[in-house]
Amino acid sequence: RTGWGKSAVYFISASLLRRMGKGPAIIISPLIALMRNQVESAARLGLNVVTINSSLSQADREHNESLIAAKQVDAIIISPEQLANQNLVDNVLSHILSDVGLFVVDEAHCISDWGHDFRPDYRRITRILQSMPANLPVLATTATANERVISDIEAQLGKDMKTLRGSLMRDSLS
C-alpha cells in the first residue's frame, strides 16, 4: 500500500547487492517527479543513483550516461520510453546489462493500465528482461493493482513470478 516503503525495499536490496559485488539496479519509473524524489531518497541512504529522462539537459544526461558506462552508480532510474532509445541501450546500458544486480518496475500497475495503449513502451520491459541473465532478481511494486492487473503483470513478467499482496486498507482512510 502507499506509504509502506516499497522504494526502501529496492534501495536497500540494491545496496546489499552492490556490497556483494553485483552491478547496479535498473529501476523503471513512470513519472519524472517521482524519479527526482527517488534519487533524493536514495542519496539519503548513501546510494549513488542517477536518472535518464526527458527533462535532463544534454550535459546532465551525458554526465549520467558516463557514470553508468563507467559502472559508478548503484542504480539507474529510467522511464520505459528510454528502453526504446537504441543509442542508450547500445552505448550505455550495454556496459552493464550482463551485470545488473536487480531489475525493478516501480508502479508496476502501469504495465497493465498503460502498457496496452497509452504508454506501449511498458511492453518493452518484457523483451528487455528476456535478454537479461535468467537468475536476475526482478521486483515489481505497486500499491494500486486489482486482481485483473496482477494477473496481467504476472502474464507479462513471467510464470515464475511470486506475488505478495497485503491489505490496501489503511487506518487513516475512512
Side-chain angles (χ1 to χ4, degrees), residues 103-117:
F103 192 95
V104 177
V105 183
D106 194 18
E107 305 297 342
H109 60 276
C110 295
I111 292 171
S112 182
D113 291 344
W114 292 349
H116 299 290
D117 48 23

Side-chain angles (χ1 to χ4, degrees), residues 63-73 91-93 95-96:
H63 174 74
N64 288 354
E65 288 177 351
S66 68
L67 291 174
I68 294 166
K71 301 181 181 183
Q72 296 179 348
V73 299
N91 298 317
V92 179
L93 295 180
H95 294 280
I96 63 160

Side-chain angles (χ1 to χ4, degrees), residues 3-49:
W4 181 78
K6 293 177 293 296
S7 60
V9 170
Y10 55 77
F11 284 139
I12 292 168
S13 297
S15 179
L16 293 171
L17 289 165
R18 292 290 284 158
R19 289 181 191 165
M20 293 169 52
K22 301 289 185 179
I26 293 179
I27 302 164
I28 306 298
S29 187
L31 303 171
I32 291 170
L34 179 57
M35 291 179 193
R36 288 183 187 125
N37 289 345
Q38 291 167 325
V39 169
E40 292 170 7
S41 295
R44 287 192 296 273
L45 293 171
L47 294 171
N48 183 20
V49 176

Side-chain angles (χ1 to χ4, degrees), residues 28 80-81 83-84 105 110-130 152-153 155-157:
I28 306 298
E81 288 79 11
L83 298 175
V105 183
C110 295
I111 292 171
S112 182
D113 291 344
W114 292 349
H116 299 290
D117 48 23
F118 175 58
R119 289 178 77 178
D121 285 306
Y122 266 98
R123 310 237 350 134
R124 190 175 306 275
I125 293 169
T126 302
R127 291 191 297 274
I128 291 291
L129 287 174
Q130 290 170 352
D152 190 22
I153 293 168
Q156 290 190 53
L157 294 185

Side-chain angles (χ1 to χ4, degrees), residues 136-166:
L136 174 69
V138 177
L139 175 65
T141 63
T142 182
T144 58
N146 60 30
E147 290 300 327
R148 179 198 56 80
V149 170
I150 290 172
S151 295
D152 190 22
I153 293 168
E154 290 172 340
Q156 290 190 53
L157 294 185
K159 63 181 177 13
D160 296 330
M161 187 170 139
K162 179 176 179 154
T163 300
L164 304 173
R165 186 170 190 189

